[in-house]
Amino acid sequence: GNYLIHHRYTDTYLTSPGEKEAMATLAPLTTGANTEETDLSQVWYLEQQSGRYSFINLKDSLQLNKEGVMKSRATRSFRFKGAVGTSYLSIQNTGTSGKICWTVADNGVIDYAGAESPVDYPFELIPYKGNGQGISHTDSTPIHVEFYTLSGLHTESPVPGGIYIRRTIHADGKVEVEKVFCK
């Protein structure tokens, strides 16, 4: 689904810089031209598979990699660990050893590999519903499209005349998968 990723101690939100190869940062909540709209650079589609998540930004469709760099495509790089009895979370890279947990310095800078295990649970996921927060649940605008061969291999550029599986993620969180013939 779509979420704001809030750091509770600095009262800031994970924010896409809007360009490939740039680092995602924490920033105060911002609004669009209409002050009722949340800036979509702070809204993330979290796609889960096998307990791992991809973070896809709604504004630019770029994905966060485990180093905190925005890419056009990244693997499912993150896991969450929750504090018992709360909604607070630790965000972790999918590695199994070494420094895999996000930490945040006093100045608000994220270290995407700051600790070996959660020492705190500083994040919370805030569901993004639209309705005064930008897009609505009925917004079916495609935000990310991927193509796969019929054998399931991801391809960056489908070849004309080929048959592919197209996977489209919409702004409302709907995922559409269909077989297509590329002209």
Side-chain angles (χ1 to χ4, degrees):
N2 298 327
Y3 293 90
L4 296 166
I5 301 171
H6 180 242
H7 184 257
R8 63 188 178 126
Y9 299 124
T10 58
D11 194 24
T12 54
Y13 296 81
L14 187 63
T15 305
S16 172
E19 56 189 62
K20 282 182 11 178
E21 305 302 325
M23 296 284 290
T25 60
L26 290 172
L29 189 63
T30 56
T31 56
N34 174 349
T35 57
E36 294 295 311
E37 294 180 359
T38 300
D39 180 351
L40 293 181
S41 67
Q42 295 181 315
V43 181
W44 301 83
Y45 176 75
L46 278 80
E47 178 181 62
Q48 189 249 1
Q49 183 176 358
S50 302
R52 297 178 180 190
Y53 293 83
S54 293
F55 291 12
I56 303 168
N57 185 258
L58 286 193
K59 185 172 187 176
D60 54 34
S61 298
L62 294 174
Q63 297 183 26
L64 186 67
N65 77 359
K66 69 179 187 174
E67 289 83 26
V69 177
M70 302 304 296
K71 299 284 188 177
S72 56
R73 178 157 167 70
T75 60
R76 288 173 180 82
S77 299
F78 305 103
R79 293 181 300 194
F80 297 104
K81 186 170 242 180
V84 176
T86 74
S87 62
Y88 301 128
L89 303 165
S90 169
I91 301 175
Q92 304 172 349
N93 294 329
T94 55
T96 56
S97 64
K99 293 187 175 186
I100 60 171
C101 296
W102 292 17
T103 59
V104 178
D106 291 339
N107 63 0
V109 173
I110 303 170
D111 184 343
Y112 291 92
E116 288 187 29
S117 61
V119 293
D120 196 359
Y121 299 89
F123 295 98
E124 59 184 329
L125 299 179
I126 300 171
Y128 181 78
K129 300 187 187 333
N131 303 333
Q133 287 184 310
I135 63 172
S136 71
H137 274 291
T138 59
D139 184 353
S140 62
T141 305
I143 61 167
H144 185 73
V145 177
E146 295 178 323
F147 289 90
Y148 295 87
T149 65
L150 294 177
S151 60
L153 298 173
H154 180 266
T155 182
E156 291 292 329
S157 52
V159 177
I163 298 174
Y164 295 89
I165 304 298
R166 179 174 59 201
R167 185 169 176 270
T168 306
I169 300 171
H170 298 269
D172 61 3
K174 182 177 116 185
V175 177
E176 180 179 27
V177 179
E178 58 192 335
K179 192 183 315 180
V180 296
F181 176 77
C182 292
K183 295 181 181 183

